[in-house]
Amino acid sequence: MTGKKDTKLFAITIALLTVYLFWGGTYLGMKIAIESIPPFIMAGVRFTLAGVFLFLFSRLKGAELPSAAEWKGAGIVGALLLLGGNGVVAWAELRLPSAIASLLVATVPLWILVLNWAGGSRQKPSGGVMAGILVGLAGVAVLVVHPGGSEGKGADTIGIIVLLAASISWSFGSLYSRTAKLPASPLMSTALQMIVGGILLSITSLFLDDWTKLHVTQISLRSWVALGYLIVFGSILAYTAYIWLLKNADPSLVSTYAFVNPIVAVFLGWLLADEQLSTQSWVAAALIIAAVAIITIFRGKGARQNQTAARKEEGKLQAR
């Protein structure tokens, strides 16, 4: 019995490290890939290929073919998450350091709470969660008012605003996915989202004139390697590890990726891309990461309290 527990603990640790490192590295990966590949073409290729792989893998694992309604639901989610979210992030990294991009995307849990609350959710945020939201908004305000970026490259206001819009689009997509008609298999659902999102990204690249800027013979080796990293490690391995963690680990532990990823992204940007953050950016980083950590901790406590209350109520009903 102890041996099985140790094996599972080891597997959970490896899966968590996979999500932490590979998802944290996607921001620098996108930054390097778009050096010689237009951003929407890069994102379109990335998600289409990853989606097709996950589709075939899901079918081999026994997942059923999706219905038209499931394609539609997954398509809407894919449009919000990958076109409005990830594709826009890739474009914004033409104007911003990858570390700044990762910090603004880290605000997604904050926007989900705000949008959910504004949408009339009966479950109001606790005092701890509200404190996290306010701390996070303060961090965003520091970046918007003082877009210092890094010493090597400034962070312009347009890039910051676009990234905030991308984070809100991702948040809308996350909320919509809770009620959308999606395949029962999480991997199949993700495959459809990636395929549709990848196709929409490729179509968008036509309207943005990306194809006239694409010169295949001039794509650098480092951009090819970065694209391969994004497809294999960022979109396939890390997401598969994430799905496995959702089924085998405590949700509050899994959700820690939300504030660990930007820490990894900032470190990799400093180590591999010489991104030296300004004082204002470090203050914003501390506030945003602290906010996501506070929200994650207090939401986890609230979820556990709700589960306990539900079990007690169920016990009362059974006693009757």
Side-chain angles (χ1 to χ4, degrees), residues 186-209:
L187 281 179
M188 177 59 77
S189 176
T190 303
L192 300 192
Q193 292 168 32
M194 287 186 178
I195 291 171
V196 177
I199 292 172
L200 291 175
L201 284 160
S202 299
I203 293 173
T204 302
S205 69
L206 296 174
F207 293 96
L208 295 179
D209 206 28

Side-chain angles (χ1 to χ4, degrees), residues 54-257:
L54 287 177
F55 182 92
L56 296 175
F57 181 74
S58 298
R59 287 289 292 154
L60 288 174
K61 296 285 287 183
E64 296 181 357
L65 284 172
S67 66
E70 290 170 342
W71 273 105
K72 178 183 176 181
I76 294 173
V77 174
L80 289 167
L81 295 183
L82 303 182
L83 175 59
N86 199 282
V88 173
V89 170
W91 180 87
E93 287 202 34
L94 291 171
R95 313 173 71 105
L96 294 168
S98 64
I100 298 295
S102 70
L103 291 173
L104 288 170
V105 174
T107 62
V108 164
L110 181 155
W111 297 120
I112 288 177
L113 285 171
V114 171
L115 291 172
N116 202 31
W117 191 22
S121 173
R122 296 179 180 178
Q123 187 177 354
K124 293 183 179 181
S126 66
V129 170
M130 282 300 300
I133 290 174
L134 292 176
V135 171
L137 290 175
V140 172
V142 170
L143 279 181
V144 173
V145 175
H146 300 287
S150 65
E151 294 176 4
K153 181 177 179 180
D156 62 60
T157 304
I158 293 177
I160 289 174
I161 293 173
V162 167
L163 264 176
L164 287 175
S167 300
I168 293 172
S169 176
W170 187 282
S171 302
F172 268 119
S174 299
L175 289 173
Y176 177 78
S177 67
R178 297 177 181 178
T179 57
K181 176 69 174 177
L182 298 172
S185 165
L187 281 179
M188 177 59 77
S189 176
T190 303
L192 300 192
Q193 292 168 32
M194 287 186 178
I195 291 171
V196 177
I199 292 172
L200 291 175
L201 284 160
S202 299
I203 293 173
T204 302
S205 69
L206 296 174
F207 293 96
L208 295 179
D209 206 28
D210 272 7
W211 289 92
T212 61
K213 304 171 188 174
L214 176 66
H215 304 286
V216 177
T217 57
Q218 296 179 15
I219 297 176
S220 66
L221 176 61
R222 57 191 265 123
S223 288
W224 280 119
V225 172
L227 178 59
Y229 169 87
L230 291 170
I231 293 170
V232 177
F233 295 97
S235 298
I236 296 175
L237 291 181
Y239 191 82
T240 302
Y242 177 71
I243 292 297
W244 183 86
L245 282 168
L246 290 178
K247 295 180 178 180
N248 294 276
D250 187 283
S252 61
L253 177 64
V254 180
S255 63
T256 56
Y257 84 90

Side-chain angles (χ1 to χ4, degrees), residues 252 295-305:
S252 61
I295 290 170
T296 301
I297 291 169
F298 278 93
R299 284 187 71 188
K301 288 182 178 178
R304 286 192 292 272
Q305 289 172 355

